[in-house]
Amino acid sequence: MIRTFLMSMFIYCVVSLPFYMSMRYLYMRKRKIMWPRELVMLLFFLYSVSIFSQTIIPDFYIVNGQIVLDTASPYMRGNFMPLQTIHLYYDLLNSPLSNIAFYNLAGNIILFIPFGFFIPLLFKKCRGWLRMHVVALGIPLFIECTQYFIGRSIDVDDVLLNAIAIIIGFILYKILQRLRKN
């Protein structure tokens, strides 16, 4: 399961990399290049492509040379009750379905921590607590709203877990900044 996700992420990164490099070259050709920042930008781009490839891009398959989007997922569901899914997965942690529960809970947190680190590192305007809270809520809301329109499941608990993860990443950023100053 994880291997399939990683392979899919890798393919999307490889396909999008030439586009990124071309656009970045055009943007930077008359500017002074700061290589450490460019490396961090590249890592942030690849990370974002990886996350969005698994959350926003609908499932598709190719039939007779044409791409067919699968927007009629049999697993489409919506949860608008806060903590309902989290509670369900927590209860499943001691059952035969514990792997699924763990991957969903941990995945929703671990996968989004880098947003909280990369965004303030790259964008000075996002280094304050208030703006990062807006970003921490905005990114998961954008993803869940987009999922609604492409036929994927939507869950308010995903927004909560992702937002918490982004704030954790921001706290890590703040800690590293403080250590760097000392």
Side-chain angles (χ1 to χ4, degrees):
M1 179 172 143
I2 292 177
R3 186 177 182 172
T4 305
F5 284 120
L6 292 175
M7 189 57 156
S8 174
M9 289 177 181
F10 178 75
I11 291 169
Y12 278 107
C13 286
V14 168
V15 168
S16 64
L17 190 58
F19 174 76
Y20 171 80
M21 299 299 277
S22 301
M23 298 310 293
R24 199 70 190 153
Y25 171 76
L26 291 174
Y27 178 76
M28 294 300 294
R29 67 181 172 186
K30 293 184 180 181
R31 291 176 171 80
K32 183 180 181 212
I33 297 175
M34 294 182 293
W35 290 107
R37 179 176 170 74
E38 288 305 309
L39 178 61
V40 173
M41 285 289 284
L42 174 63
L43 291 173
F44 179 61
F45 173 78
L46 294 174
Y47 163 73
S48 297
V49 166
S50 297
I51 294 299
F52 292 142
S53 73
Q54 300 306 307
T55 58
I56 291 181
I57 298 173
D59 293 330
F60 66 92
Y61 49 92
I62 299 175
V63 176
N64 297 329
Q66 293 197 345
I67 297 174
V68 178
L69 298 178
D70 181 14
T71 58
S73 174
Y75 303 108
M76 168 97 181
R77 64 174 185 82
N79 171 35
F80 299 100
M81 286 285 284
L83 305 177
Q84 182 177 356
T85 305
I86 294 171
H87 183 63
L88 171 72
Y89 285 144
Y90 181 76
D91 289 344
L92 291 174
L93 285 175
N94 293 320
S95 75
L97 299 174
S98 62
N99 282 349
I100 294 171
F102 176 76
Y103 286 131
N104 276 289
L105 289 173
N108 271 312
I109 294 174
I110 293 168
L111 290 176
F112 280 78
I113 289 174
F115 273 123
F117 188 81
F118 276 125
I119 290 173
L121 183 64
L122 292 169
F123 307 105
K124 289 181 182 177
K125 289 184 178 182
C126 293
R127 291 184 180 164
W129 286 98
L130 180 61
R131 286 208 181 169
M132 275 310 293
H133 277 80
V134 170
V135 168
L137 197 56
I139 291 172
L141 273 174
F142 170 75
I143 290 171
E144 293 299 314
C145 290
T146 303
Q147 286 180 341
Y148 176 78
F149 292 105
I150 63 172
R152 295 184 63 169
S153 67
I154 54 175
D155 194 334
V156 69
D157 289 346
D158 288 351
V159 174
L160 292 172
L161 292 171
N162 298 162
I164 289 168
I166 293 170
I167 295 301
I168 290 170
F170 182 62
I171 291 169
L172 292 174
Y173 166 80
K174 288 290 199 184
I175 289 169
L176 287 175
Q177 285 298 100
R178 185 160 289 180
L179 290 174
R180 194 173 136 221
K181 285 181 182 178
N182 293 337

